[in-house]
Amino acid sequence: MLNKYSKLAISAILLPSVSYAGEHHHGEHGHGEHHHEHKNSQVEKIQVTASRLGRIVTESATRTEVINAEEVQEKALMRPGNISMLVAETGGVRVQNTSPALGSANIRLQGLYGRYTQLLSDGLPLYGGQTASIGLLQIPPTDLANVEIIKGSASSLYGGSALGGVINLISRTPSDEFEGEVLLNATSKDGQDITAYVASPLTDTVSASVTAGGHHQAAKDLDNDGWIDMAAYDRATIRPRMYWSSENGANLYATFGAMTEERMAGTLAGATMPDGNPYIQAQDTVRLDSGFIFEQPLGDVLNLNVRGSAMHQEHEHQYGEVFEEDTHESYLIESSISGYNDDTAWLVGIAHQTDKYESVEYPDFNYTFDVPGLFSQLDYDVADNVALSLSARADWHSEYGSQFSPRISMLYNPNNWTIRGSYGQGYFAPTPFIEDIDDTGLSRLAALTDLEEEQASTASLDISYAFDSIETSVTLFASDVDNVTELQIIDNVTTNMDKTVRIVNASGQSEIRGAELLLRYRWHDIKFTASYLYTDASKDSSSGFGRDQLALTPRHSAGAVIMWEEHGSHLVGFEAYYTGTQKLDNNPYLDNSDPYWHLGLLGQITLSHVSWFVNAENLLNVRQTKEHSMLLPNQAPSGRWTTDIWSRNDGFTVNAGVRIQFGG
């Protein structure tokens, strides 16, 4: 007979859905405002897939935070076009803008650089092994069931692209009946969204779903200085998915995605920069991707699974008078075998990852990374309330040689307490696309030479206590990062045609220390969540003496959310988020930013299958351009014309719309 590791866990290793044990739902161990089902104290057992072996989240030694379905749906009302708000309001997660002009952003986990975060869809790198910053703004949340987050080095599970952690977007799985929804949304800043989701069984063994969306935003110059503060874009997406299962337990999941977007920013017609010239910044994107997951039981306790993905992305960039065309490609093929007995679950596998970049104008930056690897994971129940997880990966990188990435996690779960500790090591293969280049292109960047792989060690200790309707937790975390790549100005450059900047490995070590605090309380239909994050992130000073704080990393941030919700009737929510002072680099107006608050108010009324909603964001009308201009007095050596965004730049915004559900 199979135990708690077996049938339930086997089914979750590769299937894109999250399995549930129990009838009533709420997410556990997440730092968003996760929800409890009404009038029932039974805890939902959410089974996560990001940790590979499909453990129940409360029983897994690897800490996985879950943003559950209710919260996904709430955030979809606030931002139907992309997932930035969905992940941004989770403790220890910061969405960092990398291009003030285009609005692109990446995800920083516990202070680590955004390029270290691996973004997955159903466990597949459909957005590339190294997700481009703009990709975060091109993924709608329409068909998401929930989101899994592993913080800290996950290179032992997913290779070098997961040095800082993993965000796994889990899609909805079709039910036994035809179902779907359409969402229409409009904003006070002349933005419109329409998304649709349809799912249905096709035969006794095959079901399918299709998600599609169209999104528009007009260019907005909110401070009337001739510079576009909100980039204009038109985007269309479509993603069909197919699910097949057989009587012998074999199953197959396959997906295909297509996205096209035109995005434009810079100066308005007739406006000029401080040098007297107009400056248009634009990016056109076409992305195609596909992926599959196949699973076949081998007897009662063994399981074979094979997965693969391919992504092809084309860009046309404009930076003033400079035009760049490039393509990004990513391919993965992976196979593993897992097994189970009374106290142990294990997995061994092989993988081959390829990441490729080609530039038409600047072929010196072309690269092809081929990375074959072996990986393994062992979960062991030491006692009834003690569990251990060991994972390790060996990669043979075509450019950076052999890499070994271990991780160990332990769980102690006495009574109402949950105590987890973890330690991991990993690496990241440098590319030209660090945050400082995202907004400027390659025209002024010298060819990469003599770079070493970036390496990190991460550790965390998490202590949680849950009793009745109260849950509290504290997390202590630390990371040491070596060989961080950064942009350096080249001395003695004489003309604008010369290469003016280069990427180098920083000397010394970046050190990040911090703590997360969380409190959740429920009283009848009212849910309250409060969180606080402290982050001390520093690097060796360029002067050679002491340490400097990392830029754009607030030492203090906090949030509070109160939600009154009656399912099938109404929802009213208020949220307040505080962002503390941040150190600023290359900003002639400020050395340190001012703290600011973000306040939001959401309301929804549901009548049968139709929900009407209105959402007000940034009630205090916070805009960075109220503090100082976004434009630099002179163009930076890298070619950049703007300061970093350390605050918001969209001002007070209201969006409203209707969600129509049918079938089911």
Side-chain angles (χ1 to χ4, degrees):
M1 179 178 295
L2 301 185
N3 59 34
K4 67 181 180 181
Y5 278 108
S6 52
K7 289 184 178 178
L8 189 61
I10 289 174
S11 68
I13 292 174
L14 287 178
L15 287 179
S17 64
V18 170
S19 304
Y20 298 94
E23 298 176 355
H24 300 276
H25 302 167
H26 81 272
E28 286 196 318
H29 295 279
H31 279 204
E33 54 271 26
H34 307 308
H35 307 303
H36 299 249
E37 193 68 27
H38 296 287
K39 300 177 183 179
N40 195 296
S41 60
Q42 180 178 2
V43 173
E44 176 199 36
K45 295 184 177 180
I46 296 182
Q47 192 167 9
V48 294
T49 61
S51 59
R52 293 277 189 179
L53 279 172
R55 299 295 305 274
I56 301 299
V57 65
T58 54
E59 299 173 359
S60 174
T62 301
R63 184 186 182 215
T64 305
E65 299 182 35
V66 177
I67 303 174
N68 70 7
E70 281 188 17
E71 188 174 353
V72 169
Q73 295 301 309
E74 290 168 9
K75 299 306 180 187
L77 303 181
M78 301 177 186
R79 197 68 60 86
N82 62 71
I83 63 169
S84 61
M85 182 170 290
L86 175 62
V87 296
E89 297 179 356
T90 301
V93 179
R94 179 172 174 80
V95 174
Q96 182 62 58
N97 189 293
T98 59
S99 172
L102 294 177
S104 54
N106 59 25
I107 307 170
R108 302 181 66 175
L109 299 179
Q110 293 181 334
L112 290 164
Y113 296 101
R115 59 182 179 271
Y116 301 157
T117 301
Q118 174 70 78
L119 188 62
L120 303 173
S121 175
D122 297 321
L124 297 171
L126 297 182
Y127 311 109
Q130 296 179 331
T131 308
S133 294
I134 200 72
L136 179 66
L137 304 182
Q138 297 169 333
I139 305 170
T142 309
D143 62 344
L144 294 185
N146 43 53
V147 179
E148 302 170 355
I149 302 175
I150 296 179
K151 300 173 186 174
S153 176
S155 293
S156 64
L157 301 174
Y158 292 100
S161 298
L163 177 61
V166 169
I167 294 182
N168 191 19
L169 309 176
I170 306 297
S171 60
R172 301 191 211 178
T173 301
S175 65
D176 294 334
E177 299 179 3
F178 174 80
E179 61 181 348
E181 72 171 51
V182 175
L183 187 149
L184 305 173
N185 177 69
T187 79
S188 59
K189 294 294 196 298
D190 196 8
Q192 298 88 39
D193 304 275
I194 177 171
T195 64
Y197 170 80
V198 177
S200 176
L202 303 180
T203 68
D204 291 341
T205 59
V206 178
S207 59
S209 69
V210 178
T211 306
H215 311 273
H216 166 80
Q217 173 63 55
K220 291 295 178 181
D221 175 16
L222 302 179
D223 58 351
N224 299 312
D225 65 349
W227 177 261
I228 296 173
D229 297 305
M230 296 178 65
Y233 60 79
D234 288 288
R235 179 172 67 252
T237 63
I238 187 169
R239 180 170 297 283
R241 291 184 168 94
M242 188 274 289
Y243 307 80
W244 168 82
S245 60
S246 69
E247 294 182 355
N248 66 3
N251 55 71
L252 174 68
Y253 161 71
T255 184
F256 169 79
M259 185 278 300
T260 178
E261 181 188 75
E262 296 180 355
R263 185 173 287 249
M264 191 276 291
T267 52
L268 292 171
T272 61
M273 303 300 285
D275 66 354
N277 297 310
Y279 187 88
I280 301 299
Q281 189 161 338
Q283 177 175 295
D284 295 346
T285 306
V286 175
R287 184 176 66 236
L288 301 174
D289 65 69
S290 60
F292 76 92
I293 302 171
F294 174 73
E295 179 182 53
Q296 174 68 62
L298 304 176
D300 290 336
V301 296
L302 294 179
N303 199 67
L304 168 70
N305 39 74
V306 182
R307 67 178 69 194
S309 66
M311 188 278 295
H312 177 87
Q313 185 166 259
E314 299 178 0
H315 285 145
E316 293 182 358
H317 305 271
Q318 180 179 356
Y319 306 96
E321 296 181 352
V322 177
F323 293 85
E324 299 181 14
E325 296 183 48
D326 58 49
T327 60
H328 299 256
E329 295 180 358
S330 179
Y331 305 95
L332 170 72
I333 186 70
E334 176 187 299
S335 179
S336 63
I337 294 178
S338 55
Y340 310 84
N341 60 34
D342 289 341
D343 300 316
T344 305
W346 57 267
L347 176 145
V348 294
I350 59 174
H352 191 283
Q353 175 87 37
T354 297
D355 289 294
K356 185 177 181 179
Y357 172 76
E358 290 186 355
S359 171
V360 175
E361 289 79 12
Y362 304 103
D364 286 347
F365 296 102
N366 293 355
Y367 64 82
T368 299
F369 293 159
D370 286 306
V371 190
L374 299 174
F375 59 91
S376 62
Q377 183 176 344
L378 173 67
D379 285 5
Y380 176 61
D381 284 346
V382 180
D384 289 342
N385 56 10
V386 179
L388 183 69
S389 180
L390 303 171
S391 57
R393 186 182 185 104
D395 286 328
W396 290 268
H397 199 284
S398 59
E399 182 69 23
Y400 295 99
S402 300
Q403 304 290 335
F404 180 67
S405 304
R407 179 180 174 116
I408 180 171
S409 302
M410 180 172 286
L411 165 70
Y412 177 47
N413 193 14
N415 299 320
N416 296 321
W417 292 89
T418 301
I419 302 172
R420 285 185 176 90
S422 69
Y423 174 81
Q425 295 179 339
Y427 74 100
F428 180 83
T431 72
F433 305 107
I434 63 175
E435 288 79 352
D436 294 303
I437 287 297
D438 196 48
D439 201 36
T440 62
L442 302 174
S443 62
R444 299 191 179 200
L445 181 64
L448 307 188
T449 57
D450 302 323
L451 289 181
E452 299 182 23
E453 69 274 13
E454 302 176 60
Q455 297 178 326
S457 299
T458 66
S460 66
L461 176 65
D462 176 69
I463 303 173
S464 300
Y465 178 79
F467 180 75
D468 289 339
S469 56
I470 297 177
E471 180 181 348
T472 63
S473 70
V474 57
T475 301
L476 307 177
F477 59 87
S479 300
D480 293 332
V481 190
D482 292 300
N483 301 328
V484 172
T485 52
E486 62 182 16
L487 203 63
Q488 184 183 78
I489 298 173
I490 300 175
D491 295 331
N492 301 319
V493 174
T494 57
T495 72
N496 289 334
M497 298 302 295
D498 291 331
K499 299 297 184 179
T500 56
V501 290
R502 60 190 170 201
I503 293 177
V504 299
N505 291 117
S507 60
Q509 193 174 70
S510 293
E511 298 178 355
I512 301 170
R513 307 288 186 266
E516 300 175 34
L517 304 177
L518 173 71
L519 170 65
R520 285 203 295 262
Y521 173 71
R522 179 177 186 88
W523 182 72
H524 298 290
D525 293 332
I526 297 176
K527 297 161 289 190
F528 174 76
T529 303
S531 61
Y532 168 74
L533 174 65
Y534 171 81
T535 308
D536 181 11
S538 64
K539 62 179 181 179
D540 280 1
S541 173
S542 56
S543 66
F545 300 96
R547 300 187 64 80
D548 293 332
Q549 291 296 304
L550 293 185
L552 302 176
T553 307
R555 189 180 292 267
H556 305 281
S557 56
V561 177
I562 185 167
M563 194 76 64
W564 175 37
E565 179 179 10
E566 183 176 336
H567 288 269
S569 175
H570 62 267
L571 178 152
V572 178
F574 174 77
E575 59 185 17
Y577 291 94
Y578 170 81
T579 301
T581 300
Q582 305 164 61
K583 181 181 181 298
L584 305 178
D585 283 345
N586 305 316
N587 187 318
Y589 309 108
L590 292 173
D591 293 326
N592 295 282
S593 71
D594 295 327
Y596 65 92
W597 284 89
H598 169 74
L599 307 181
L601 188 62
L602 170 66
Q604 177 181 263
I605 295 177
T606 300
L607 302 174
S608 185
H609 296 290
V610 180
S611 298
W612 302 89
F613 62 89
V614 60
N615 176 61
E617 291 289 324
N618 198 355
L619 298 178
L620 300 179
N621 196 27
V622 174
R623 283 206 331 265
Q624 184 169 319
T625 49
K626 292 182 177 181
E627 304 296 326
H628 63 73
S629 172
M630 290 295 301
L631 300 181
L632 296 171
N634 299 288
Q635 192 172 19
S638 65
R640 189 171 186 172
W641 267 114
T642 62
T643 69
D644 286 320
I645 285 189
W646 50 265
S647 179
R648 301 185 64 94
N649 208 36
D650 52 0
F652 172 66
T653 304
V654 176
N655 70 283
V658 59
R659 172 189 279 159
I660 305 170
Q661 297 177 305
F662 47 88

